[in-house]
């Protein structure tokens, strides 16, 4: 992030960015705070962020009328979410072009994965498992249609994180299956370690002696 002069005014009346935090709304008081919020929570953004209330706040409270005039047509014509966010980030100038492109280029599958990963972090395991199942179904459908998909590591991470969610519900045998599938998709040692850890929790001490004698069983975490 590069240093920049403040754009617009620091507001007495904060804008409540709704829907980004499960526990509470995020309050921002300046264009810089808004940009930071949009960039750091890019994976949680949806079309609800494109509304007159936000654009009014940018114009009336921050006094950045030129930007507000650019944003109103996007809201009223239901334009692209990425263009809306990028327009704000570029106007304020807090971030380098490469960082802005990274926000704009987040694929729908990767964005949805990040949203579901967030549910795992909040221990909403059952909802996360349903989300990963839908994501894998979508992936398979797109693959059958010959559509361009993210790298195989992304699919492996989806499988891995479904295993993490299953571990949270103590379904260790099922978790081990998905860790193993992740390892077969992307032979990363972390997938294998997670598989062995899940098997260790699933099996009795006696059974484990024969199964995992040659390997350790490290902790399991999100990818």
């Amino acid at each position: 992030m590069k240093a920049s002069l403040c754009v617009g005014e620091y507001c007495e009346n904060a804008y409540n960015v709704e829907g980004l935090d499960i526990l509470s709304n995020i309050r921002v008081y300046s264009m810089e705070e808004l940009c930071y919020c949009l960039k750091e929570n890019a994976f949680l953004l949806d079309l609800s962020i494109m509304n007159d209330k936000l654009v009014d706040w940018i114009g009336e409270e921050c006094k950045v009328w030129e930007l507000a005039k650019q944003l109103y047509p996007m809201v009223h014509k239901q334009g692209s979410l990425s263009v809306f966010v990028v327009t704000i980030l570029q106007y304020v100038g807090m971030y380098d072009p490469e960082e802005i492109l990274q926000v704009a280029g987040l694929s729908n599958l990767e964005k949805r994965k990040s949203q579901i990963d967030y549910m795992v972090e909040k221990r909403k395991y059952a909802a996360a498992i349903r989300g990963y199942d839908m994501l894998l179904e979508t992936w398979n459908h797109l693959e059958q249609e010959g559509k361009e998909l993210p790298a195989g590591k992304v699919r492996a991470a989806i499988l891995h994180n479904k295993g993490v969610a299953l571990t949270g519900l103590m379904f260790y045998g099922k978790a081990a299956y998905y860790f193993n599938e992740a390892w077969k998709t992307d032979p990363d040692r972390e997938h294998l370690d997670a598989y062995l850890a899940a098997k260790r929790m699933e099996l009795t001490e006696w059974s484990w002696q024969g199964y995992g004698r040659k390997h350790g069983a490290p902790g399991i975490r999100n990818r």
Side-chain angles (χ1 to χ4, degrees), residues 106-158:
L106 197 62
S107 76
N108 289 333
L109 283 171
E110 290 173 288
K111 181 176 178 180
R112 180 56 182 152
K113 172 189 171 295
S114 296
Q115 291 172 328
I116 302 168
D117 292 344
Y118 190 69
M119 287 193 281
V120 176
E121 293 174 11
K122 296 298 181 180
R123 301 185 180 182
K124 296 180 177 293
Y125 300 124
I129 290 166
R130 291 193 296 271
Y132 288 131
D133 284 339
M134 293 177 63
L135 198 56
L136 290 168
E137 287 179 12
T138 300
W139 187 295
N140 292 337
H141 179 70
L142 292 173
E143 192 172 48
Q144 290 172 2
E145 291 186 343
K147 298 292 180 63
E148 184 177 353
L149 291 165
K153 285 184 177 293
V154 176
R155 180 180 176 86
I158 294 170

Side-chain angles (χ1 to χ4, degrees), residues 27-84:
R27 296 167 64 84
V28 296
Y29 290 86
S30 68
M31 290 303 302
E32 288 74 21
E33 290 182 7
L34 174 63
C35 287
Y36 180 82
C37 174
L38 294 176
K39 180 178 179 293
E40 295 303 310
N41 296 280
F43 63 90
L44 291 173
L45 298 176
D46 58 34
L47 288 172
S48 65
I49 196 72
M50 296 174 59
N51 60 76
D52 281 332
K53 185 178 178 181
L54 172 58
V55 181
D56 289 344
W57 178 82
I58 290 172
E60 296 171 7
E61 297 290 338
C62 296
K63 309 301 181 186
V64 189
W65 288 108
E66 183 180 345
L67 175 59
K69 290 177 182 178
Q70 295 179 43
L71 297 175
Y72 278 123
M74 299 181 196
V75 172
H76 297 155
K77 296 179 181 179
Q78 281 295 292
S80 164
L81 173 62
S82 63
V83 172
F84 182 84

Side-chain angles (χ1 to χ4, degrees), residues 146-206:
K147 298 292 180 63
E148 184 177 353
L149 291 165
K153 285 184 177 293
V154 176
R155 180 180 176 86
I158 294 170
L159 294 164
H160 181 106
N161 291 355
K162 182 177 178 182
V164 174
L166 286 163
T167 300
L169 294 177
M170 295 185 288
F171 293 139
Y172 302 124
K174 292 182 179 179
Y177 170 82
Y178 282 98
F179 290 135
N180 189 43
E181 289 296 301
W183 181 74
K184 289 191 291 186
T185 303
D186 171 34
D188 186 305
R189 177 71 197 193
E190 188 170 354
H191 302 314
L192 180 59
D193 287 344
Y195 166 75
L196 293 169
K199 292 300 291 185
R200 177 66 185 88
M201 289 184 280
E202 177 195 16
L203 299 174
T204 64
E205 183 67 26
W206 178 262

